[in-house]
């Protein structure tokens, strides 16, 4: 295998180790039973449930899968055509955060709101994993901040897309608001750790040409969304 082929097939996040104790401190603990914080969670969930409409539910389904293509309208480009390496390699950094999130979920072991309260009716497919912190929230937050670092010109639309991915979870009753708040804190803190790493610096340098091409109008026939 030639050096160039090896470099292309390797994991750009290899050797990067996140500071797990620091991230555990960032997310904190979920609200206790009987606390005002838990009541706030429930009040928000029931308000969202009672205010749902078909348009909002359809929008929530847009963010069901954790895929970078959701960010394409905010970028105004088709990743497969303009930035295939970014599309393929960026998830390897996000995977590190996902693994940490799984560890925290098992440790904290908070039941989903629809498990604890039968009056909460989800509008997305049910999931049997634990609830705190939200994996979708940590994924969408991490992805949006890493993409914003690669594409600072589109920072606000990218971050807003990430927030929409987060909002869909309590809107559809899959998570308590405190779950997604913890997931957002986890994703943001982890993204900051990743961005400071030499692995990210090397990766960012290697995809500079792709990043420029992705911002070249007309990118890939996609309408550019401005918020």
């Amino acid at each position: 295998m030639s050096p160039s082929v090896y470099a292309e097939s390797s994991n750009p996040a290899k050797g990067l180790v996140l500071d797990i104790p620091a991230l555990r401190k960032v997310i904190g603990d979920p609200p206790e039973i009987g606390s005002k914080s838990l009541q706030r969670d429930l009040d928000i969930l029931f308000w969202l449930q009672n205010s749902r409409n078909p348009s909002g539910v359809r929008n929530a389904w847009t963010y069901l899968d954790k895929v970078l293509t959701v960010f394409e309208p905010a970028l105004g480009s088709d990743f497969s055509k303009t930035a295939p390496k970014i599309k393929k390699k960026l998830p390897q950094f996000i995977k590190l955060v996902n693994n940490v999130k799984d560890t925290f979920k098992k440790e904290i072991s908070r039941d989903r709101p629809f498990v604890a309260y039968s009056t909460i009716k989800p509008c997305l497919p049910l999931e049997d994993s634990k609830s705190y912190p939200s994996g979708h929230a940590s994924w969408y937050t991490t992805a949006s901040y890493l993409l914003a670092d690669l594409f600072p010109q589109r920072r606000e639309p990218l971050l807003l897309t990430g927030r929409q991915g987060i909002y869909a979870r309590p809107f559809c009753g899959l998570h308590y608001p405190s779950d997604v708040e913890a997931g957002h804190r986890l994703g943001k803190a982890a993204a900051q750790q990743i961005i400071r790493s030499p692995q990210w610096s090397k990766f960012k340098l290697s995809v500079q040409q792709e990043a420029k091409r992705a911002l070249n109008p007309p990118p890939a026939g996609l309408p550019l969304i401005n918020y």
Side-chain angles (χ1 to χ4, degrees):
M1 182 181 291
S2 69
S4 61
V5 173
Y6 175 79
E8 190 64 27
S9 63
S10 64
N11 180 358
K14 184 177 181 180
L16 175 55
V17 179
L18 298 177
D19 185 343
I20 296 178
L23 296 176
R24 179 63 181 87
K25 185 176 181 180
V26 161
I27 70 167
D29 294 314
E32 295 181 358
I33 295 176
S35 67
K36 290 182 179 180
S37 295
L38 178 57
Q39 188 58 52
R40 166 188 171 270
D41 266 352
L42 294 172
D43 288 345
I44 294 172
L45 282 178
F46 286 121
W47 184 86
L48 289 170
Q49 181 168 288
N50 292 331
S51 64
R52 284 178 197 157
N53 55 53
S55 177
V57 173
R58 284 195 300 271
N59 184 66
W61 275 82
T62 302
Y63 301 94
L64 177 60
D65 296 324
K66 292 176 278 191
V67 290
L68 291 181
T69 50
V70 172
F71 291 92
E72 288 179 339
L75 186 63
S77 187
D78 182 323
F79 279 116
S80 296
K81 294 180 179 179
T82 63
K85 184 175 181 180
I86 292 174
K87 181 181 179 182
K88 182 179 180 180
K89 300 293 186 179
L90 186 66
Q92 293 174 320
F93 288 95
I94 305 173
K95 184 178 180 180
L96 298 175
V97 187
N98 192 62
N99 292 339
V100 172
K101 174 268 302 177
D102 286 343
T103 299
F104 293 160
K105 278 198 174 194
K106 291 176 183 177
E107 174 198 337
I108 296 168
S109 194
R110 186 189 199 186
D111 285 334
R112 300 263 181 171
F114 60 84
V115 173
Y117 301 91
S118 61
T119 46
I120 294 175
K121 307 297 183 183
C123 59
L124 286 172
L126 303 185
E127 297 183 20
D128 58 7
S129 63
K130 294 300 181 180
S131 201
Y132 190 98
S134 162
H136 274 74
S138 61
W139 190 94
Y140 272 100
T141 302
T142 305
S144 64
Y145 275 95
L146 294 182
L147 286 170
D149 190 60
L150 293 176
F151 302 99
Q153 305 92 328
R154 302 298 295 161
R155 179 179 179 84
E156 289 310 312
L158 289 166
L159 294 184
L160 181 55
T161 300
R163 290 195 292 272
Q164 290 175 338
I166 294 171
Y167 174 72
R169 309 308 286 175
F171 177 79
C172 273
L174 269 292
H175 279 288
Y176 295 99
S178 56
D179 295 337
V180 298
E181 289 164 355
H184 179 266
R185 293 195 297 272
L186 170 60
K188 183 176 181 180
Q192 289 170 342
Q193 289 188 18
I194 291 169
I195 289 169
R196 291 195 297 266
S197 72
Q199 288 89 345
W200 179 257
S201 296
K202 184 177 180 180
F203 173 71
K204 185 176 178 180
L205 183 63
S206 74
V207 297
Q208 277 189 342
Q209 291 306 310
E210 275 198 358
K212 290 178 181 178
R213 186 165 63 245
L215 292 172
N216 245 352
L222 289 178
L224 185 63
I225 291 181
N226 289 301
Y227 298 95

